[in-house]
Each structure stands twice: as structure tokens, then as C-alpha cells.
Amino acid sequence: MRFLAVCTALAAATALTGCGQSAGSDGGSGKVTLWLMKGSASDDFIAKFTADFEKQHPGTDLEVRIQEWKGIGDKVNAVLGGKAEAGAGADVIEVGNTQVAQYVETGGVSEVTLEGLREWGSKDWLKGLSDPGSVNGAQYGVPWYAANRVVIYNKDLFANAGIKTPPKNRQDWISATQKLDKGDQQGIYLPGQNWYVLAGFVWDEGGELAVETGGQWVGALDEDKALAGMDFYKQLQALGDGPRNADEETPPQSEVFARGQVAQIIAPPGQAAQIEAANPALKGKLGFFPVPGKTSEKAGSVFTGGSDLIIPEKTRNRALAVDVITALVSEKWQTELARTMSYVPNKTTLAHVVDGNDGAAAMAPGAAQGRATPKSARWAEVEAKNPIKPYMTAVLTGQDPRQAAKAASDTVSQVLSSDR
């Protein structure tokens, strides 16, 4: 879902081969409307992109409309269903990566063409963006940008503990955090219900939150591999004083870190600005490193947030809509967006463009291992009920892990399989 003012968008283009067009073709002239979510791109980026697109497409009017997240689902569904008020439609829409299946189930999203996949560099797409955009073997979402969690650390506390380089694997991470956890100082502030972080640990172990079998989704938190992920979370969480019955927003972990006695938190790098605003004395003293994996060869798995782009089936100008996406995912504009907004580009081959931005650079290795939540159209209902949070609290307070996981998995299965 969304964090750090970052969400995702899914996009789709219909079988353009049948329309005689392919990605990157000259869409001709006319008006094309692009919906972007508030905070996804700066005003300067939008102005530059609009001017360049219209220059490359003489006679074309590109209208960019900024949308609020609140109530966006109803607005998108109105467009997809052809029920938007006159003049309120869209040809390309940014949506959340984990919302793709939900919109596809509702109907009205175009499937991406094979021509588009090749043109847009799909073989190098970040899986955490591309996988949620694929439903039943068909691609509907075109990845636009990504953001994920990293470890934000206090350089002074690391130096005082004799830790010269950030850890690259779990064993070294635990050892370093043990050194940092002393007296009034917390080795790490990890709230007991940060389930997005848990998801990464579960995926690293080869486990899943839920799996689809024979067309039916079932919870998988009680499987051995998923339980191993929870066990590591428990080890790490014990090396600090994070609450066992609250998430990262209760209280906001950036405020806790800003007090100066926390060595690490796991968060999007954008939270560094919040920390520095709360405690200016920490400016220049914050570092970033990818969430360590089980070995030093690759970073740990993380939940990927970001955006995909979709094209409604009822677009007024399909060719221009495809050209808008082609431009937005091009190396030129991917580089501009990543550097302007400190995002991770949509392709692994563009990871180098954020070199020099410490926070974004730390995201890139994790983004390559990024994942998203299960592609069920009803996963949003699971998050609303969220049986994972009390499961985590139960384990951290000494209850039987397998029994607690089974109860959570049963609830997940019930929600995903229930009739609306």
C-alpha cells in the first residue's frame, strides 16, 4: 500500500496490435489526460514533462490532473466504468501497486500489449511493481517508480560502538545491534506490529502471507518458513524498547528516533527529513543501509511501494495514452523523477541513477528484492481487519507462535474466500 507519500499506480494498454498501434508510435494530435496522485511528482517535474511531451507531439494538449488519495477508488472506478462526469475522464491513471487486482476485478482496465512490454523494458522491471500489475497471467500495470524501507541509523552511536561499516547480513546485523543496545540506548526501535517489515523477513525465508491454490487464496502464516520469519523479527525486536502492541505510527517512530538514543529504525529514507526537523542536532548524522539479507550476497526482501500506470479501456485516445506511458517510463524521465523525488526507478538497470543520494541509493538493492502483498482483489479487506498485527503481539508476549499464526491464517483465508 502507501507509505512516505508514496503509492503505486497500475496501468494497462489494450491489445494495440488490433488498433494498428504499438508503444512509442506517433499518437498524433489531440487531448490526453493524465491523473497523478498528490505528492508523487513535483510541480517542476510535471511542468517539464508536459512541455517536453507536447513538443514531441505537435498539436497535442497534455492535461495533468492531481488527485487526492482520499476517495480515489470511487473516482477511478467511475472512469473505468465509463460513468465519470463529462470532462472528468482520464486516459492514463496512477494507482497503487497493490490495488491492481482490485481494479481489474471491477473491470475496465486495458491489458498491456506485447509490443508495450518490449518497448517499456519489462524484463528489467522491479518485481514488487510488475508482479502486482499482473493478474491471471496477463499484465495490466506498467511500473512507474518505487520506494521501500531501509535501515536509518545514527552514525555517532554506531561509531561509539566501534561499528565502522553497516552490516550486510542478518547475523552481523544482530551482533551489531546487540552492541548498540546498552543502558538507556536502544539498539533498534522496532514496534511489535510493523507487519510490512515482518513480510520481508517471511519472504526471505521462502514463506508467504497467503498462497493461491486451485483458484482459492488461503493464509500461510502458520507454515514453517513464515514462522521462521517471525522468529527473526522477535530476535531483532528484543534489542530495543519498541512497544509490542503498537505499530510504527503509535507513536511515530521518527519522533522516537529523534530523541537521540535510538541507533536504528526500519523506515522509508524520507523519514530522515522528519527526524532532522524534530531534532536539528541530528542533521548530517544519519546514515542509511539496505535491510540485510540472510547472506551478504543480496539485500533482504522488502515490501515495495510505488506506482504503476493504467490505461482505461474507455480512453478517448489510446495511441496518445500509450505514448504518455512510453515517455514516463523512458530513461530520461525515470532519471529525472528518481533524482527529483529520491525514488527508485522502475527498472533494475537504472539503479545507478540515484548514486549520490544516500537514502535512495540504499533503497535500490532492496528494491531489486522487493515484493508486494498477495494479488487477491480482497487483500485490502485483510489489511482493514489486519489479523497479522495481533498475531505478532501474541508471539512477542510469549504465546505459542504456531497457534497464534494459525488463528491469523484462518482469518486471512476467511476474508479472502468470503463472498462480498
Side-chain angles (χ1 to χ4, degrees):
M1 305 298 287
R2 181 179 177 81
F3 56 81
L4 169 119
V6 169
C7 205
T8 59
L10 55 69
T14 90
L16 297 179
T17 50
C19 302
Q21 297 284 348
S22 64
S25 64
D26 182 2
S29 61
K31 182 176 180 179
V32 60
T33 301
L34 166 65
W35 279 14
L36 297 181
M37 301 310 300
K38 185 177 181 179
S40 289
S42 67
D43 291 342
D44 184 58
F45 174 90
I46 293 171
K48 288 180 179 178
F49 177 80
T50 300
D52 185 77
F53 186 83
E54 291 179 346
K55 180 180 179 181
Q56 300 299 323
H57 297 74
T60 294
D61 176 18
L62 171 61
E63 180 183 15
V64 180
R65 295 179 184 170
I66 304 302
Q67 305 293 331
E68 298 283 348
W69 283 105
K70 184 176 182 180
I72 190 59
D74 290 340
K75 294 183 70 174
V76 171
N77 283 326
V79 172
L80 297 179
K83 299 178 180 179
E85 296 180 2
D91 303 294
V92 179
I93 305 175
E94 174 190 356
V95 300
N97 62 338
T98 60
Q99 299 170 344
V100 174
Q102 185 176 352
Y103 286 126
V104 171
E105 182 181 73
T106 301
V109 181
S110 296
E111 183 180 339
V112 178
T113 66
L114 292 177
E115 289 84 357
L117 292 176
R118 287 195 294 268
E119 178 77 14
W120 296 325
S122 63
K123 67 182 180 64
D124 298 317
W125 279 347
L126 299 178
K127 291 186 179 299
L129 294 180
S130 62
D131 284 358
S134 173
V135 179
N136 296 327
Q139 191 73 36
Y140 291 91
V142 178
W144 187 27
Y145 68 81
N148 52 261
R149 289 165 175 78
V150 300
V151 181
I152 302 176
Y153 71 99
N154 185 313
K155 293 180 180 179
D156 285 350
L157 298 186
F158 266 59
N160 293 340
I163 303 171
K164 298 180 179 180
T165 58
K168 292 186 177 181
N169 60 65
R170 282 190 186 179
Q171 183 176 352
D172 289 346
W173 193 17
I174 290 290
S175 297
T177 306
Q178 289 172 334
K179 293 179 182 178
L180 293 159
D181 190 47
K182 56 184 179 181
D184 294 333
Q185 180 178 298
Q186 297 185 54
I188 189 169
Y189 181 82
L190 181 58
Q193 295 184 347
N194 195 332
W195 72 275
Y196 281 122
V197 172
L198 170 64
F201 297 159
V202 168
W203 294 328
D204 269 347
E205 295 289 348
E208 300 289 347
L209 304 179
V211 295
E212 186 177 19
T213 303
Q216 189 74 36
W217 283 93
V218 295
L221 291 163
D222 54 331
E223 298 293 331
D224 288 345
K225 292 178 179 179
L227 288 168
M230 183 64 224
D231 183 65
F232 178 73
Y233 190 102
K234 183 177 181 180
Q235 292 179 51
L236 192 63
Q237 200 272 341
L239 299 176
D241 297 324
R244 298 174 180 176
N245 61 346
D247 61 20
E248 64 274 26
E249 294 300 325
T250 314
Q253 62 179 354
S254 58
E255 295 180 5
V256 178
F257 188 94
R259 297 169 191 163
Q261 292 302 308
V262 171
Q264 308 168 84
I265 58 172
I266 304 172
Q271 286 196 12
Q274 300 172 26
I275 294 167
E276 292 174 350
N279 184 358
L282 289 176
K283 190 172 181 62
K285 297 183 178 182
L286 304 181
F288 311 86
F289 61 89
V291 174
K294 294 188 71 173
T295 69
S296 299
E297 279 64 45
K298 64 180 181 179
S301 298
V302 290
F303 169 77
T304 299
S307 290
D308 288 6
L309 302 165
I310 61 168
I311 298 176
E313 290 179 345
K314 299 182 183 295
T315 174
R316 298 161 301 177
N317 194 326
R318 189 178 307 282
L320 274 178
V322 171
D323 284 354
V324 167
I325 291 181
T326 301
L328 284 171
V329 302
S330 67
E331 182 171 354
K332 174 182 177 179
W333 292 106
Q334 281 287 294
T335 299
E336 178 76 14
L337 185 69
R339 291 178 176 174
T340 300
M341 303 299 294
S342 296
Y343 292 152
V344 175
N346 70 344
K347 293 189 280 286
T348 56
T349 50
L350 295 177
H352 65 279
V353 305
V354 294
D355 289 348
N357 183 317
D358 292 345
M363 281 196 293
Q369 309 301 323
R371 296 276 304 274
T373 49
K375 290 188 288 184
S376 167
R378 298 180 184 174
W379 184 258
E381 297 173 40
V382 173
E383 293 194 22
K385 187 179 291 286
N386 212 326
I388 303 176
K389 288 185 173 184
Y391 153 59
M392 296 173 71
T393 295
V395 175
L396 296 175
T397 54
Q399 296 183 39
D400 180 74
R402 191 175 295 276
Q403 183 176 345
K406 181 63 166 60
S409 290
D410 287 347
T411 300
V412 170
S413 299
Q414 181 181 10
V415 173
L416 296 182
S417 62
S418 62
D419 294 329
R420 289 183 184 274

